[in-house]
Amino acid sequence: MAKHRHLAGAGRGAVARPWCGAALMDAAGRIVAVIAAIPAGQVRSYAQVAALAGLPGHARQVARLLAGSGGSLPWHRVLRADGRIAFAAGSEQALAQTRALQAEGVLVVGNRVGAAWRPARALDAWLWQGDHSGPV
């Protein structure tokens, strides 16, 4: 029996979409694992999460996954590449994210995080070097 593949377009010249089906679920699982491993009091950018999940250049995929997670992940630890909260300053979502970060000891000023923005190498080592006793 022929193997079915999702294709962009139809007929001749259709392009295989590796992000459909099982590949998408695998990517989502890797993104979830990276987000879940961000320690309290630390943050990562959407782009860093994507890169750590083996999906460099897919920051928007991280954002979409977080938007649909229903709050089951520590979404508040993921920020824009410049350290800003992705929600509009003063919005209910931005205030909720600010409160959650501050509860973990993260300095937030003007919708942007302070010193916690530069991530520690411990998470990278924990994710990629096989020491799964937890981030240091």
Side-chain angles (χ1 to χ4, degrees):
M1 179 173 225
K3 194 174 195 177
H4 296 284
R5 293 171 30 142
H6 293 275
L7 300 175
R12 186 182 244 175
V15 177
R17 289 184 172 171
W19 59 89
C20 291
L24 177 60
M25 295 308 293
D26 181 48
R30 293 192 319 256
I31 291 169
V32 166
V34 170
I35 294 169
I38 301 171
Q42 292 188 25
V43 296
R44 298 293 181 275
S45 72
Y46 294 98
Q48 287 172 320
V49 170
L52 288 169
L55 301 162
H58 288 82
R60 288 184 181 176
Q61 185 174 350
V62 173
R64 283 190 297 274
L65 184 138
L66 278 174
S69 72
S72 62
L73 294 169
W75 60 272
H76 60 282
R77 298 178 188 150
V78 184
L79 307 166
R80 289 182 175 177
D82 62 359
R84 287 184 298 141
I85 290 173
F87 301 108
S91 69
E92 189 56 42
Q93 298 95 332
L95 294 173
Q97 188 168 10
T98 296
R99 285 189 298 269
L101 289 169
Q102 288 174 337
E104 295 181 353
V106 177
L107 177 65
V108 181
V109 177
N111 222 41
R112 186 184 301 253
V113 298
W117 173 233
R118 297 296 166 223
R121 294 183 166 269
L123 179 63
D124 296 341
W126 180 78
L127 284 170
W128 302 115
Q129 295 177 7
D131 174 15
H132 294 290
S133 60
V136 179

